[in-house]
Amino acid sequence: MPGLLLGDVFPNFEAETTCGRVKLHEYLGDSWGILFSHPRDYTPVCTTELGRVARLSGEFSKRGVKLIALSIDSLEDHCGWSKDILAYNCEKSECCKLPYPIIADSKRELAVALGMLDPDEKDKDGLPLTARCVFVIGTDKRLKLSLLYPATTGRSFDEILRVVDSLQLTAEKRVATPADWKPGECVMVPPNMPEEEAATLFPAGVFSKELPSGKKYLRYTPDPRNQGECVDTERSQTEPNSCTSLL
Ligand code: BEZ
């Protein structure tokens, strides 16, 4: 049975959190959203993850992204553990001062409904813990990206910021981002876009790599949010400076 699919409207669930009762869509408002789960409070990998998200919260806010965490522990545990996370980050603070709420899903209702459980990691009663799940939700409340890591592998939240950058760029401009892309680097022209349309849409230039097949599908253009910074007009039109290593 497929769970949530890309493009599905994300369920507008209600839940108890460290910042009070939350209804997801109202909490998100006009922002992007990230719902991320972790297996258990007072565990080492989770502490490093929630600490990292707290340190990166300014970067998420800059991108207009609201964060919300979830695990199957109680509110009381979340509040006690929040102090440890802040101490791990070398901050002295009171309970519930993490810059995002944590959902208390002690009955596992949301974890089951959203397909967040890791069958390989069980608690002392043999019940599965939540996996390390990430859902990125667009301003239209639809699912834009999901990641599912097992309990034993901590996530890279720098990577999650990177995918938010790609999702937000590709929501606005008709481009795609290549492997390991970072903002400012060349982006790809989608394969179904005719050459004439690409030439009009990307005045900074479209540069294609010669391939043994002779097919011109590997087409780059400078990051459209960084127009002008990327292309050296003195150079050949097949080699903009920041695309050189790609061609
Ligand atoms: C952790 O967060 O350290 C963890 C939690 C569950 C299983 C393995 C590791």
Short mmCIF file of all heavy atoms in Angstrom, two decimals, residues 51-63 67 89 156-159 161:
data_model
loop_
_atom_site.label_atom_id
_atom_site.label_comp_id
_atom_site.label_asym_id
_atom_site.label_seq_id
_atom_site.Cartn_x
_atom_site.Cartn_y
_atom_site.Cartn_z
N GLY A 51 19.67 18.93 17.96
CA GLY A 51 20.58 20.05 18.24
C GLY A 51 20.99 20.74 16.94
O GLY A 51 21.01 21.96 16.84
N ARG A 52 21.30 19.94 15.93
CA ARG A 52 21.72 20.51 14.63
C ARG A 52 20.58 21.33 14.01
O ARG A 52 20.79 22.41 13.48
CB ARG A 52 22.13 19.36 13.70
CG ARG A 52 22.62 19.81 12.34
CD ARG A 52 24.00 20.46 12.44
NE ARG A 52 24.44 20.99 11.16
CZ ARG A 52 24.97 22.21 11.00
NH1 ARG A 52 25.15 23.01 12.02
NH2 ARG A 52 25.34 22.62 9.82
N VAL A 53 19.35 20.80 14.11
CA VAL A 53 18.21 21.53 13.54
C VAL A 53 18.01 22.85 14.30
O VAL A 53 17.74 23.89 13.69
CB VAL A 53 16.92 20.67 13.59
CG1 VAL A 53 15.73 21.47 13.07
CG2 VAL A 53 17.08 19.40 12.76
N ALA A 54 18.20 22.82 15.62
CA ALA A 54 18.07 24.07 16.39
C ALA A 54 19.11 25.08 15.91
O ALA A 54 18.81 26.26 15.72
CB ALA A 54 18.23 23.78 17.88
N ARG A 55 20.36 24.60 15.66
CA ARG A 55 21.41 25.54 15.22
C ARG A 55 21.13 26.07 13.82
O ARG A 55 21.51 27.18 13.49
CB ARG A 55 22.78 24.87 15.28
CG ARG A 55 23.28 24.62 16.70
CD ARG A 55 24.79 24.47 16.77
NE ARG A 55 25.29 23.37 15.97
CZ ARG A 55 25.28 22.08 16.35
NH1 ARG A 55 24.78 21.75 17.53
NH2 ARG A 55 25.76 21.14 15.56
N LEU A 56 20.47 25.25 13.00
CA LEU A 56 20.18 25.68 11.62
C LEU A 56 18.83 26.39 11.49
O LEU A 56 18.44 26.75 10.38
CB LEU A 56 20.18 24.46 10.68
CG LEU A 56 21.54 23.84 10.35
CD1 LEU A 56 21.34 22.58 9.51
CD2 LEU A 56 22.42 24.83 9.61
N SER A 57 18.13 26.59 12.61
CA SER A 57 16.75 27.09 12.48
C SER A 57 16.68 28.46 11.79
O SER A 57 15.74 28.74 11.05
CB SER A 57 16.04 27.12 13.84
OG SER A 57 16.68 28.06 14.65
N GLY A 58 17.71 29.29 11.98
CA GLY A 58 17.74 30.60 11.30
C GLY A 58 17.81 30.42 9.79
O GLY A 58 17.21 31.19 9.04
N GLU A 59 18.56 29.41 9.34
CA GLU A 59 18.67 29.15 7.90
C GLU A 59 17.33 28.70 7.33
O GLU A 59 16.95 29.08 6.23
CB GLU A 59 19.74 28.06 7.63
CG GLU A 59 21.16 28.53 7.85
CD GLU A 59 21.53 29.68 6.91
OE1 GLU A 59 21.16 29.64 5.74
OE2 GLU A 59 22.18 30.63 7.38
N PHE A 60 16.62 27.87 8.12
CA PHE A 60 15.29 27.43 7.66
C PHE A 60 14.33 28.63 7.62
O PHE A 60 13.59 28.79 6.66
CB PHE A 60 14.76 26.29 8.53
CG PHE A 60 15.44 24.97 8.24
CD1 PHE A 60 16.36 24.42 9.12
CD2 PHE A 60 15.17 24.26 7.07
CE1 PHE A 60 17.00 23.21 8.85
CE2 PHE A 60 15.80 23.05 6.78
CZ PHE A 60 16.71 22.53 7.68
N SER A 61 14.38 29.48 8.66
CA SER A 61 13.48 30.66 8.66
C SER A 61 13.77 31.57 7.47
O SER A 61 12.84 32.09 6.85
CB SER A 61 13.64 31.54 9.90
OG SER A 61 13.69 30.79 11.03
N LYS A 62 15.07 31.78 7.16
CA LYS A 62 15.43 32.62 6.01
C LYS A 62 14.76 32.14 4.73
O LYS A 62 14.45 32.91 3.85
CB LYS A 62 16.95 32.52 5.77
CG LYS A 62 17.77 33.62 6.35
CD LYS A 62 19.16 33.57 5.72
CE LYS A 62 20.22 33.53 6.81
NZ LYS A 62 21.53 33.07 6.33
N ARG A 63 14.56 30.83 4.65
CA ARG A 63 13.95 30.23 3.45
C ARG A 63 12.44 30.13 3.59
O ARG A 63 11.79 29.50 2.75
CB ARG A 63 14.56 28.85 3.20
CG ARG A 63 16.02 28.92 2.74
CD ARG A 63 16.74 27.62 2.97
NE ARG A 63 18.08 27.60 2.41
CZ ARG A 63 19.17 28.14 3.00
NH1 ARG A 63 19.03 28.75 4.18
NH2 ARG A 63 20.35 28.07 2.43
N LEU A 67 9.47 24.46 10.98
CA LEU A 67 9.88 23.11 11.35
C LEU A 67 8.95 22.54 12.41
O LEU A 67 8.43 23.30 13.26
CB LEU A 67 11.28 23.16 11.96
CG LEU A 67 12.38 23.73 11.05
CD1 LEU A 67 13.56 24.20 11.89
CD2 LEU A 67 12.81 22.66 10.05
N ASN A 89 23.96 21.80 22.69
CA ASN A 89 24.31 22.95 21.85
C ASN A 89 25.00 24.05 22.65
O ASN A 89 25.19 25.15 22.16
CB ASN A 89 23.04 23.56 21.22
CG ASN A 89 22.65 22.86 19.94
OD1 ASN A 89 23.33 21.97 19.48
ND2 ASN A 89 21.52 23.27 19.37
N SER A 156 21.81 14.31 7.44
CA SER A 156 22.54 15.55 7.23
C SER A 156 21.52 16.66 7.01
O SER A 156 20.81 16.66 6.00
CB SER A 156 23.45 15.45 6.01
OG SER A 156 23.78 16.75 5.59
N PHE A 157 21.43 17.59 7.95
CA PHE A 157 20.47 18.68 7.79
C PHE A 157 21.01 19.77 6.86
O PHE A 157 20.23 20.58 6.35
CB PHE A 157 20.01 19.21 9.16
CG PHE A 157 19.09 18.20 9.80
CD1 PHE A 157 19.59 17.20 10.63
CD2 PHE A 157 17.74 18.20 9.51
CE1 PHE A 157 18.75 16.23 11.18
CE2 PHE A 157 16.89 17.23 10.05
CZ PHE A 157 17.40 16.25 10.89
N ASP A 158 22.32 19.74 6.58
CA ASP A 158 22.83 20.61 5.50
C ASP A 158 22.26 20.12 4.17
O ASP A 158 21.91 20.92 3.30
CB ASP A 158 24.36 20.56 5.46
CG ASP A 158 24.96 21.23 6.69
OD1 ASP A 158 24.51 22.34 7.02
OD2 ASP A 158 25.85 20.64 7.32
N GLU A 159 22.15 18.82 4.01
CA GLU A 159 21.56 18.26 2.78
C GLU A 159 20.08 18.66 2.69
O GLU A 159 19.58 18.98 1.61
CB GLU A 159 21.73 16.74 2.77
CG GLU A 159 20.92 15.98 1.72
CD GLU A 159 21.23 16.34 0.26
OE1 GLU A 159 22.14 17.14 0.01
OE2 GLU A 159 20.52 15.83 -0.63
N LEU A 161 18.72 21.37 3.89
CA LEU A 161 18.69 22.78 3.45
C LEU A 161 18.95 22.87 1.95
O LEU A 161 18.32 23.63 1.24
CB LEU A 161 19.80 23.57 4.16
CG LEU A 161 19.50 24.16 5.51
CD1 LEU A 161 20.74 24.87 6.05
CD2 LEU A 161 18.34 25.16 5.46
#
